[in-house]
């Protein structure tokens, strides 16, 4: 029989992530797919790929925890935890001191504050609004007719960032159209959109001294971290596999079970 | 798959009698409206109802209709009609739901009480702006529609100390209502009757206060979701003996439950304070959500809003002025913070939920920095959920569920 592994499944609104950890808390397998419309099937697909990467079979799973919006749809998890708990756990694993975590996901943003002991002292989630989320950038990439994955490089190329004033996705869309009409460069508009995302997130709550950024949007758009550092005026840490922080946290909870 | 545990809600026997009281109340109003045997006054929920009752009016409260539209989840279908008329989706959804229902010729009363086809037509509309300006606009709409007089009391807001100057002003305004009400009702003002009604209202208020305070027991015998409906007679029936009797009965039942340690939430582990309006369309769902997490939302600012300790039958005008100005919603943030801190201590609360109701800024106390101030003052963690009293377009169930579950996880961690 192969070594025992611990599985974390983060079934998010946009993407499903699975992390496989060994007993020493090393990430030995991971997989991500669009969550799609069949959450159970997507979770199983991710699990299969992550286990394959880890070089183990289903029988090696000692425990599994599900998190994310679709956590109740995961059939092979022993229990569920909220994504707030899992992101906290996943980040504290890499940065074991008092931290403020900024998580930018496809559907929502979170600011989670942890104490030196890793206990959550408070958290905030965005209001029922797409402003500042991955969904906002996806919508805007369609408006700009550029692939989502090209947004980061575009933002980095900007020399004259466009300022976008609105925090409403619809109004921002109108502002983007107005800037296109005025001949502004796509790169400058994209940087303006990134700046808008960061501003929306930072206005959710105050931050403590040490800041960590996670989430799929951060993983695919690392320039957001540079911009956030510039705004808050200090270094921001990013854990390995930032898109998997919630899944890793879930797997860590599975180890503790 | 993690199965969601089924939650059985504990029955409060007196609620059945309260249901009968509400039924009789609406049928009496309906009869008066259809036969013309009694004059009907519409009144805001914390308006000068004692005076209206003393002058012989049957009193109808449109806010209870708003709450019914919310709890039957029909409000969201009604609101767009009011929006189309120019009443913004950002203003009070009691107002927009109620006006929308009027425009759609709909009332949930018809289903609840067969034979009632419409809300009872008013002979006069009487407001008090102590809770918000929206009530004035709401009543002004119906004054135009029904071509009936609208009169009211304008109360200071964000009041720190309830000074004699403020009390004098409001008392004079209430006294000023007497003459037009005499003309509309055809009845002469009777001071003895007025004193009697104020006395009964005070007794109702005292009983209601005691009812709410039974939740200081561990485990608590009732939830906020129960008291949000059990307060019906305190809203519509204060100033009557039958309301006093009902709360005597409820109080006895709850004291008995507390003595027997009968918990409203099985294995109560977390004691939660709720600030702001209920989400009427999710009353049952929220009740189950918290109970499933062994959390009892057991105290609230909302249900305490029908406690009028200042009412005094020997000084009816001035005591009404004071009672209706002393209310939480009328007061400054400094007062509110101390008030909440006292409640947290009295009920031994573990965590606070602030409901940021999209269309009710005056009942959403999380918008001017109070959350962090109360947290600093009390050391008790809090959570803000976005929602609304009636407009379900402003409610995200999944987000609420995740936030509440995460908050209870946090409290659990803190408890160790």
């Amino acid at each position: 029989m192969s070594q025992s592994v611990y599985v974390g499944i983060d079934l998010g609104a946009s993407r499903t992530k699975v992390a496989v950890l060994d007993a020493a808390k090393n990430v030995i397998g991971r997989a991500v797919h669009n969550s799609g419309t069949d959450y159970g099937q997507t979770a199983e697909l991710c699990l299969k790929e992550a286990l394959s990467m880890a070089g183990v079979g289903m029988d090696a799973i000692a425990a599994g925890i599900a998190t994310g919006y679709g956590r109740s749809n995961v059939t092979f998890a022993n229990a569920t935890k909220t994504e707030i708990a899992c992101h906290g756990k996943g980040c504290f694993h890499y940065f074991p001191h008092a931290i403020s975590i900024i998580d930018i996901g496809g559907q929502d943003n979170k600011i989670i504050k942890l104490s030196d002991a890793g206990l959550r002292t408070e958290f905030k989630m965005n209001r029922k609004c797409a402003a500042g989320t991955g969904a906002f950038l996806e919508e805007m990439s369609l408006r700009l007719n550029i692939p989502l994955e090209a947004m980061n490089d575009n933002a980095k190329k900007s020399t004259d960032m466009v300022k976008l004033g609105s925090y409403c996705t619809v109004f921002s869309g109108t502002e983007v159209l107005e800037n296109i009409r005025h001949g502004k460069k796509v790169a400058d508009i994209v940087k303006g959109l990134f700046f808008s995302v960061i501003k929306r997130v930072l206005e959710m709550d105050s931050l403590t001294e040490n800041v960590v950024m996670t989430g799929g949007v951060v993983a695919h758009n690392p320039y957001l971290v540079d911009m956030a550092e510039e705004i808050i005026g200090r270094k921001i840490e990013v854990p390995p596999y930032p898109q998997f922080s919630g899944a890793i946290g879930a797997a860590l909870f599975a180890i503790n079970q | 798959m993690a199965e969601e545990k089924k939650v059985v809600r504990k029955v409060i026997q007196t609620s059945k009698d309260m249901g009968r009281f509400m039924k009789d109340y609406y049928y009496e109003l309906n009869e008066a409206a259809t036969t013309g045997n009694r004059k009907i006054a519409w009144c805001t929920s914390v308006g000068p109802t004692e005076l209206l009752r003393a002058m012989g009016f049957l009193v109808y409260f449109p806010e209870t209709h708003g709450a019914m539209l919310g709890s039957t989840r029909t409000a969201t279908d009604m609101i767009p009609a009011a929006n189309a008329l120019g009443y913004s989706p950002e203003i009070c959804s009691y107002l927009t739901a109620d006006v929308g229902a009027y425009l759609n010729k709909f009332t949930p009363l018809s289903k609840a009480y067969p034979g009632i086809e419409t809300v009872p037509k008013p002979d006069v509309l009487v407001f008090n702006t102590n809770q918000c300006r929206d009530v004035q606009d709401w009543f002004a709409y119906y004054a135009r529609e029904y071509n009936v007089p609208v009169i009211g009391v304008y109360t200071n807001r964000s009041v720190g100390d309830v000074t004699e100057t403020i009390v004098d002003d409001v008392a004079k305004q209430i006294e000023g209502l007497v003459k037009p009400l005499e003309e509309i009702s055809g009845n002469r003002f009777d001071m003895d009757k007025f004193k009697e009604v104020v006395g009964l209202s005070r007794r109702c208020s005292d009983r209601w206060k005691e009812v709410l305070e039974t939740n200081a027991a561990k485990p608590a015998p009732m939830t906020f979701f129960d008291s949000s409906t059990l307060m019906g007679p305190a809203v519509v029936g204060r100033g009557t003996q039958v309301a006093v009797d009902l709360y005597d009965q409820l109080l006895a039942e709850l004291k008995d439950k507390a003595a027997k340690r009968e918990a409203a939430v099985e294995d109560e582990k977390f004691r939660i304070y709720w600030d702001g309006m209920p989400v009427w369309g999710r009353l049952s769902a929220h009740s189950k959500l918290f109970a499933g997490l062994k959390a009892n939302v057991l105290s609230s600012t909302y249900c305490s809003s029908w406690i009028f300790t200042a009412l005094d039958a020997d000084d009816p005008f001035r005591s009404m002025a004071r009672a209706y100005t002393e209310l939480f919603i009328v007061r400054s943030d400094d007062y509110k913070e101390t008030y909440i801190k006292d409640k947290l201590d009295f009920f031994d609360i573990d965590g606070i939920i602030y409901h940021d109701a999209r269309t009710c800024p005056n009942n959403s106390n999380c918008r001017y920095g109070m959350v962090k101030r109360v947290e600093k003052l009390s050391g008790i963690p809090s959570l803000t959920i976005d929602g609304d009293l009636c407009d379900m377009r402003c409610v995200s169930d999944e987000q609420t569920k995740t936030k509440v579950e995460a908050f209870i996880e946090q409290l659990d961690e803190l408890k160790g």
Side-chain angles (χ1 to χ4, degrees), chain B residues 33 42 60 62 65 98-99 101-103 105-106 118-125 138-149:
Chain B
W42 286 18
Y60 169 77
H65 195 242
D98 190 61
V99 168
Y102 171 82
L103 292 167
K105 296 183 171 35
F106 172 81
T118 66
V119 297
K121 183 181 175 300
D123 295 290
V124 63
L125 303 146
W138 187 356
F139 280 25
Y141 172 81
Y142 286 117
R144 290 188 291 271
E145 287 298 306
Y146 289 117
N147 193 27
V148 295

Coordinates of all heavy atoms in Angstrom, one line a residue, chain B residues 33 42 60 62 65 98-99 101-103 105-106 118-125 138-149:
Chain B
A33 N -63.7 48.5 8.0 CA -63.5 49.1 6.7 C -64.7 48.9 5.8 O -65.0 49.7 5.0 CB -62.2 48.6 6.1
W42 N -54.4 54.9 10.3 CA -53.1 54.2 10.0 C -52.0 54.9 10.8 O -52.0 56.1 10.9 CB -52.8 54.2 8.5 CG -53.6 53.3 7.7 CD1 -54.8 52.8 8.0 CD2 -53.3 53.0 6.3 NE1 -55.3 52.0 6.9 CE2 -54.4 52.1 5.9 CE3 -52.3 53.2 5.4 CZ2 -54.4 51.6 4.6 CZ3 -52.3 52.7 4.1 CH2 -53.4 51.9 3.7
Y60 N -54.4 50.6 12.4 CA -53.7 49.7 11.4 C -52.3 50.2 11.2 O -52.1 51.4 11.1 CB -54.5 49.7 10.1 CG -53.8 49.0 8.9 CD1 -53.8 47.6 8.9 CD2 -53.2 49.7 7.9 CE1 -53.1 47.0 7.8 CE2 -52.6 49.1 6.9 CZ -52.5 47.8 6.8 OH -51.9 47.1 5.7
P62 N -49.2 49.9 8.7 CA -48.7 49.4 7.4 C -47.4 48.7 7.5 O -47.1 47.8 6.6 CB -48.6 50.7 6.6 CG -49.5 51.7 7.2 CD -49.5 51.4 8.6
H65 N -47.9 45.1 7.5 CA -48.2 44.6 6.1 C -46.9 44.5 5.4 O -46.7 43.5 4.6 CB -49.1 45.6 5.4 CG -49.8 45.1 4.2 ND1 -49.6 45.6 3.0 CD2 -50.6 44.0 4.1 CE1 -50.3 44.9 2.1 NE2 -51.0 43.9 2.7
D98 N -45.1 47.8 0.0 CA -46.5 48.1 0.3 C -47.2 48.9 -0.8 O -48.3 48.6 -1.2 CB -46.6 48.9 1.6 CG -48.0 49.0 2.2 OD1 -48.6 48.0 2.5 OD2 -48.4 50.2 2.3
V99 N -46.5 49.9 -1.3 CA -47.1 50.7 -2.4 C -47.2 49.8 -3.6 O -48.3 49.9 -4.3 CB -46.2 51.9 -2.7 CG1 -46.6 52.6 -4.0 CG2 -46.3 52.9 -1.5
A101 N -47.8 46.6 -3.6 CA -48.9 45.7 -3.4 C -50.2 46.5 -3.7 O -51.2 45.9 -4.3 CB -48.9 45.2 -2.0
Y102 N -50.3 47.7 -3.2 CA -51.5 48.5 -3.5 C -51.7 48.7 -5.0 O -52.8 48.5 -5.5 CB -51.2 49.9 -2.8 CG -52.3 50.9 -3.2 CD1 -53.5 51.0 -2.5 CD2 -52.1 51.9 -4.2 CE1 -54.5 51.9 -2.8 CE2 -53.0 52.8 -4.5 CZ -54.2 52.9 -3.8 OH -55.2 53.8 -4.2
L103 N -50.6 49.0 -5.7 CA -50.7 49.1 -7.2 C -51.1 47.8 -7.9 O -51.8 47.8 -8.9 CB -49.4 49.6 -7.8 CG -49.0 51.0 -7.4 CD1 -47.5 51.3 -7.7 CD2 -49.9 52.1 -8.0
K105 N -53.0 45.6 -6.5 CA -54.2 45.2 -5.8 C -54.0 43.8 -5.1 O -54.8 42.9 -5.3 CB -55.4 45.1 -6.8 CG -55.7 46.5 -7.4 CD -56.9 46.3 -8.3 CE -57.5 47.6 -8.8 NZ -56.6 48.8 -9.0
F106 N -52.9 43.7 -4.4 CA -52.6 42.5 -3.7 C -52.4 42.7 -2.2 O -51.8 43.7 -1.8 CB -51.3 41.9 -4.3 CG -50.7 40.7 -3.6 CD1 -51.3 39.4 -3.8 CD2 -49.7 40.9 -2.6 CE1 -50.8 38.3 -3.1 CE2 -49.2 39.8 -1.9 CZ -49.8 38.5 -2.2
T118 N -58.8 43.5 0.9 CA -57.8 44.6 0.8 C -57.4 45.0 2.2 O -58.1 44.6 3.2 CB -58.4 45.8 0.1 OG1 -59.4 46.3 1.0 CG2 -59.0 45.5 -1.3
V119 N -56.4 45.8 2.2 CA -56.0 46.4 3.5 C -57.2 47.4 3.9 O -57.9 47.8 3.0 CB -54.7 47.1 3.5 CG1 -53.6 46.1 3.2 CG2 -54.7 48.2 2.5
P120 N -57.4 47.6 5.2 CA -58.5 48.5 5.6 C -58.3 49.9 5.2 O -57.2 50.5 5.5 CB -58.6 48.3 7.1 CG -57.2 47.9 7.5 CD -56.6 47.1 6.4
K121 N -59.2 50.5 4.5 CA -59.1 51.9 4.0 C -59.0 52.9 5.2 O -59.8 52.7 6.2 CB -60.3 52.3 3.1 CG -60.2 53.6 2.5 CD -61.4 53.9 1.7 CE -61.4 55.3 1.1 NZ -61.4 56.4 2.1
P122 N -58.1 53.8 5.2 CA -57.9 54.7 6.3 C -58.9 55.9 6.3 O -59.3 56.3 5.2 CB -56.5 55.2 6.2 CG -56.3 55.2 4.7 CD -57.1 54.0 4.1
D123 N -59.2 56.4 7.5 CA -59.8 57.7 7.6 C -58.8 58.8 7.9 O -59.1 60.0 7.7 CB -60.9 57.6 8.8 CG -62.0 56.6 8.4 OD1 -62.8 57.0 7.5 OD2 -62.0 55.6 9.0
V124 N -57.7 58.4 8.5 CA -56.6 59.3 8.7 C -55.3 58.6 8.8 O -55.3 57.4 9.1 CB -56.8 60.1 10.1 CG1 -56.9 59.2 11.3 CG2 -55.8 61.2 10.3
L125 N -54.2 59.3 8.4 CA -52.9 58.6 8.5 C -52.0 59.4 9.5 O -51.9 60.7 9.3 CB -52.3 58.7 7.1 CG -53.1 58.1 6.0 CD1 -52.9 58.8 4.7 CD2 -52.6 56.6 5.8
W138 N -44.3 57.7 2.8 CA -45.2 56.5 2.6 C -46.6 56.9 2.8 O -47.5 56.7 2.0 CB -44.7 55.4 3.6 CG -45.3 54.1 3.5 CD1 -46.3 53.6 2.7 CD2 -44.9 53.0 4.4 NE1 -46.5 52.3 3.0 CE2 -45.7 51.9 4.0 CE3 -43.9 52.8 5.4 CZ2 -45.6 50.6 4.6 CZ3 -43.8 51.6 6.0 CH2 -44.6 50.5 5.6
F139 N -46.8 57.6 4.0 CA -48.2 58.0 4.3 C -48.7 59.1 3.4 O -49.9 59.2 3.1 CB -48.3 58.4 5.8 CG -48.3 57.3 6.7 CD1 -47.9 56.0 6.4 CD2 -48.9 57.4 8.0 CE1 -47.9 54.9 7.3 CE2 -49.0 56.3 8.9 CZ -48.5 55.1 8.5
A140 N -47.8 59.9 2.9 CA -48.2 61.0 2.0 C -48.7 60.4 0.7 O -49.7 60.9 0.1 CB -47.0 61.9 1.7
Y141 N -48.1 59.3 0.3 CA -48.6 58.6 -0.9 C -50.1 58.2 -0.7 O -50.9 58.4 -1.6 CB -47.8 57.4 -1.2 CG -48.3 56.5 -2.3 CD1 -48.1 56.9 -3.7 CD2 -49.1 55.4 -2.1 CE1 -48.6 56.1 -4.7 CE2 -49.6 54.6 -3.1 CZ -49.4 55.0 -4.4 OH -49.9 54.2 -5.4
Y142 N -50.4 57.6 0.4 CA -51.7 57.1 0.6 C -52.7 58.2 0.9 O -53.9 58.1 0.6 CB -51.8 56.1 1.8 CG -51.2 54.7 1.4 CD1 -50.0 54.2 2.0 CD2 -51.8 54.0 0.3 CE1 -49.5 53.0 1.5 CE2 -51.2 52.8 -0.1 CZ -50.1 52.3 0.5 OH -49.6 51.1 0.1
A143 N -52.2 59.3 1.4 CA -53.1 60.5 1.6 C -53.6 61.0 0.3 O -54.8 61.3 0.1 CB -52.3 61.6 2.3
R144 N -52.7 60.9 -0.7 CA -53.1 61.4 -2.1 C -54.0 60.3 -2.7 O -55.0 60.7 -3.3 CB -51.9 61.6 -2.9 CG -51.0 62.8 -2.6 CD -49.9 63.0 -3.6 NE -48.9 62.0 -3.6 CZ -47.8 62.0 -2.8 NH1 -47.6 63.0 -2.0 NH2 -46.9 61.0 -2.9
E145 N -53.7 59.1 -2.5 CA -54.5 58.0 -3.1 C -55.9 57.9 -2.5 O -56.9 57.7 -3.3 CB -53.8 56.6 -2.9 CG -52.6 56.5 -3.8 CD -52.9 56.5 -5.3 OE1 -53.8 55.7 -5.7 OE2 -52.3 57.3 -6.0
Y146 N -56.0 58.0 -1.2 CA -57.3 57.8 -0.5 C -58.0 59.1 -0.3 O -59.1 59.1 0.2 CB -57.1 57.1 0.8 CG -56.7 55.6 0.7 CD1 -55.5 55.1 1.2 CD2 -57.6 54.7 0.1 CE1 -55.2 53.8 1.1 CE2 -57.3 53.3 0.0 CZ -56.1 52.9 0.5 OH -55.8 51.5 0.4
N147 N -57.3 60.2 -0.5 CA -57.8 61.5 -0.3 C -58.3 61.7 1.2 O -59.4 62.1 1.5 CB -59.0 61.8 -1.2 CG -59.4 63.3 -1.2 OD1 -58.5 64.2 -0.9 ND2 -60.6 63.6 -1.5
V148 N -57.4 61.3 2.1 CA -57.6 61.4 3.5 C -56.5 62.3 4.1 O -55.4 62.4 3.6 CB -57.7 60.1 4.2 CG1 -58.9 59.3 3.7 CG2 -56.5 59.2 4.0
P149 N -56.8 62.9 5.3 CA -55.7 63.7 5.9 C -54.5 62.9 6.4 O -54.7 61.7 6.9 CB -56.4 64.3 7.1 CG -57.8 63.9 7.1 CD -58.0 62.8 6.1

